Amino acid sequence: MSGSSDVFLVGGGSDESAADAVYGPFLRAASADVPRVLCVLVDEGNGAELFARYDTLLRKAGDCTPVPLLLPLGEPFEPGALTADVDALLVCGGLTPAYREAFGGCLDTLPALLAERGVPYAGFSAGAVIAARDAVLGGWLVDGVAVCPPETAEDLEEVEVRSGLGLVPFGVDVHAAQWGTLARLTAVVAGGRPAHGVAIDENTVVRVADGRAYVAGLGRAHSVRPAPGGGALVRSYGAGDSFPAA
């Protein structure tokens, strides 16, 4: 396969009317006319049910063959799952720290393998978060002060930032408008790590290619950068907009 460096970050959501805008470019980035999409889910007991949702969304977006890979909690993802007949990789949603644990053993090897084989990566919610160089895994407190609703905390108290796959140069938060997580990302960027963050609404995708981030879907993407003299600056972008990824 010839290389494709595109990465697709989906902020969550399951609106079928947005399926083509959100997943269509991902499918078209694969080299096959009818791509086989490996869909990786950390299975908390409802993996088959969740896979059915992704299967529906992907098929709404175009001709493809979604293939489930359900990982029990605590089981690592093995890069060998990217067999020669896999044309695209979708890392799905769920408990974000569990996804970081599953992919923790291949933070260095998986990006190189994707680039070598030209396999496009899409991350949905947790899968988008761990694509970052600095992954904002969850939490709702910064130094004991609330920065977002506790129900968005992913079973963490203090906000936790750990190394991710490094497929994109900025940190990622998801369900931005729906869960109020833009405030969490703003707090950690103002604190210095990551140095740039992007919070993505549901039913919205950010495609990262050639040093730019391109927005599509129903919602917005919010780029957060440190402000001169302290704090952070937020700029929001809608469908059709783009901004520097670096």
Side-chain angles (χ1 to χ4, degrees), residues 134-245:
D134 294 315
V136 184
L137 298 186
W140 66 289
L141 304 172
V142 172
D143 296 329
V145 177
V147 294
C148 63
E151 57 267 25
T152 70
E154 305 279 353
D155 291 347
L156 299 172
E157 293 291 322
E158 285 284 321
V159 174
E160 185 173 337
V161 181
R162 297 185 63 187
S163 57
L165 289 165
L167 296 171
V168 296
F170 47 76
V172 179
D173 218 326
V174 289
H175 311 282
Q178 292 75 19
W179 290 10
T181 52
L182 174 57
R184 174 169 63 199
L185 188 63
T186 301
V188 294
V189 169
R193 185 189 181 197
H196 175 206
V198 177
I200 308 169
D201 293 348
E202 291 184 1
N203 303 302
T204 306
V205 63
V206 172
R207 175 175 67 92
V208 182
D210 301 322
R212 293 194 68 80
Y214 301 86
V215 184
L218 302 182
R220 303 184 71 80
H222 316 271
S223 174
V224 186
R225 299 180 187 271
L233 294 174
V234 179
R235 291 194 64 182
S236 293
Y237 300 88
D241 293 337
S242 71
F243 56 92

Side-chain angles (χ1 to χ4, degrees), residues 76-146:
F77 172 79
E78 299 292 347
L82 287 177
T83 54
D85 63 350
V86 171
D87 303 300
L89 174 63
L90 171 63
V91 179
C92 301
L95 191 63
T96 304
Y99 275 83
R100 169 57 176 75
E101 180 183 3
F103 283 83
C106 58
L107 297 182
D108 296 323
T109 57
L110 181 59
L113 181 59
L114 293 171
E116 176 186 335
R117 293 211 29 231
V119 174
Y121 176 102
F124 177 97
S125 189
V129 171
I130 68 167
R133 178 180 299 154
D134 294 315
V136 184
L137 298 186
W140 66 289
L141 304 172
V142 172
D143 296 329
V145 177

